[in-house]
């Protein structure tokens, strides 16, 4: 059974802190791993990772995939209150099947 | 650009009643999906469709049915709602085309079955 597990489930930090969110997976036919940010309603896309060891970066956010360890991390440096959200990891297994983890709820306090 | 439109945005439904959640996309994406999101369980795939005319079962298909008569529309039907179907439902689409690509989401439908 395909499975995606995220940790921690929730996290409280202060502005300026750096956080690392984890995602591990067990899927039958890995195609890609995606990170989404969900604030109030629809998840919005952050990164797609397909190759091990290649870091994707967007501003203060970065992510990397380790296919050997079947995992990925999402780093956020110099956190801001606007980073408060649920961060979802999804893995595409086979063709057009996305499986999501339960998410990490990040709360950044001023 | 509208992207993906879901309707209604929220609904209270009596147990035993049927209901169809609507989803329309204007991006001409091949693949469409329905997820339900529950606290602590993340997004779980209900049904999906790789292309118009085909559908497939996801992780939690029981109690739900879908159809894909054309590229743009992917309605989700609850034939006889039960309280455990209280959830937030998200429709999504992706442009598969054989390449890895992300899924785009609608704004969600909050359904309460009482």
């Amino acid at each position: 059974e395909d499975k995606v597990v995220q940790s921690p489930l929730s996290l409280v930090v202060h502005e300026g802190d750096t956080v690392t969110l984890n995602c591990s997976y067990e899927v039958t036919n890995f195609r890609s791993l995606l990170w989404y940010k969900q604030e109030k309603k629809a998840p919005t896309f952050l990164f797609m990772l397909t190759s091990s060891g290649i870091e994707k970066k967007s501003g203060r956010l970065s992510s990397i995939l380790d296919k050997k360890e079947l995992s990925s991390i999402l780093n956020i440096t110099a956190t801001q209150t606007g980073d408060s959200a649920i961060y979802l990891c999804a893995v595409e297994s086979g063709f057009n099947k996305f499986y999501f983890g339960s998410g990490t709820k990040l709360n950044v306090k001023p | 650009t509208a992207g993906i439109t879901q309707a209604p945005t929220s609904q209270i439904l009596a147990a035993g009643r049927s209901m169809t959640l609507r989803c329309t996309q204007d991006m001409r994406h091949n693949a469409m999906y329905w997820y339900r999101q529950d606290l602590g369980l993340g997004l779980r795939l209900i049904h999906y469709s790789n292309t118009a005319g085909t559908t497939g079962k996801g992780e939690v298909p029981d109690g739900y049915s879908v159809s894909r008569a054309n590229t743009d529309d992917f309605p989700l039907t609850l034939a006889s709602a039960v309280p455990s179907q209280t959830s937030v439902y998200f429709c999504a689409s992706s442009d598969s085309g054989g390449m890895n690509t992300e899924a785009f989401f609608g704004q969600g439908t909050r359904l309460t079955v009482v």
Side-chain angles (χ1 to χ4, degrees):
Chain A
E1 183 180 318
D2 294 336
K3 186 168 62 174
V4 178
V5 178
Q6 291 185 245
S7 63
L9 291 180
S10 66
L11 195 54
V12 181
V13 300
H14 288 93
E15 275 193 315
D17 288 350
T18 293
V19 297
T20 298
L21 311 182
N22 300 287
C23 176
S24 63
Y25 60 89
E26 291 178 33
V27 298
T28 50
N29 187 6
F30 178 88
R31 281 169 58 91
S32 62
L33 185 145
L34 304 96
W35 284 97
Y36 286 85
K37 179 182 181 181
Q38 186 178 23
E39 292 178 85
K40 286 183 181 167
K41 293 216 171 172
T44 54
F45 173 76
L46 293 174
F47 297 111
M48 174 187 291
L49 304 159
T50 55
S51 302
S52 267
I54 298 175
E55 185 183 55
K56 293 248 178 138
K57 200 168 169 63
S58 176
R60 296 175 294 102
L61 276 68
S62 64
S63 184
I64 196 162
L65 175 67
D66 186 337
K67 280 187 175 178
K68 189 176 175 185
E69 296 296 325
L70 306 182
S71 66
S72 173
I73 59 170
L74 174 69
N75 280 321
I76 308 175
T77 58
T79 52
Q80 302 171 357
T81 55
D83 295 328
S84 295
I86 296 173
Y87 289 84
L88 295 164
C89 172
V91 174
E92 186 183 10
S93 174
F95 187 60
N96 286 342
K97 274 191 163 184
F98 294 89
Y99 293 92
F100 283 80
S102 56
T104 293
K105 185 173 183 179
L106 175 65
N107 184 6
V108 181
K109 294 192 168 182
Chain B
T1 302
I4 299 181
T5 304
Q6 289 185 235
T9 54
S10 67
Q11 181 75 45
I12 298 174
L13 184 67
R17 299 294 295 268
S18 68
M19 179 174 181
T20 295
L21 281 61
R22 300 185 298 280
C23 176
T24 300
Q25 53 109 354
D26 63 1
M27 298 176 282
R28 307 302 293 170
H29 284 170
N30 295 329
M32 296 187 76
Y33 318 85
W34 275 105
Y35 291 89
R36 58 177 290 174
Q37 187 173 33
D38 304 289
L39 193 64
L41 295 173
L43 284 154
R44 292 182 292 168
L45 183 64
I46 304 172
H47 286 286
Y48 66 97
S49 168
N50 286 335
T51 188
T54 69
T55 62
K57 293 182 179 181
E59 300 169 81
V60 288
D62 294 342
Y64 306 95
S65 63
V66 292
S67 61
R68 187 89 184 277
N70 56 61
T71 297
D72 299 342
D73 301 300
F74 191 43
L76 177 74
T77 297
L78 288 69
S80 180
V82 294
S84 62
Q85 291 178 309
T86 294
S87 187
V88 179
Y89 291 85
F90 286 98
C91 179
S93 72
S94 69
D95 181 14
S96 54
M99 304 292 290
N100 296 331
T101 186
E102 74 268 28
F104 296 84
F105 287 83
Q107 291 299 303
T109 295
R110 182 175 292 276
L111 178 66
T112 303
V113 182
V114 297

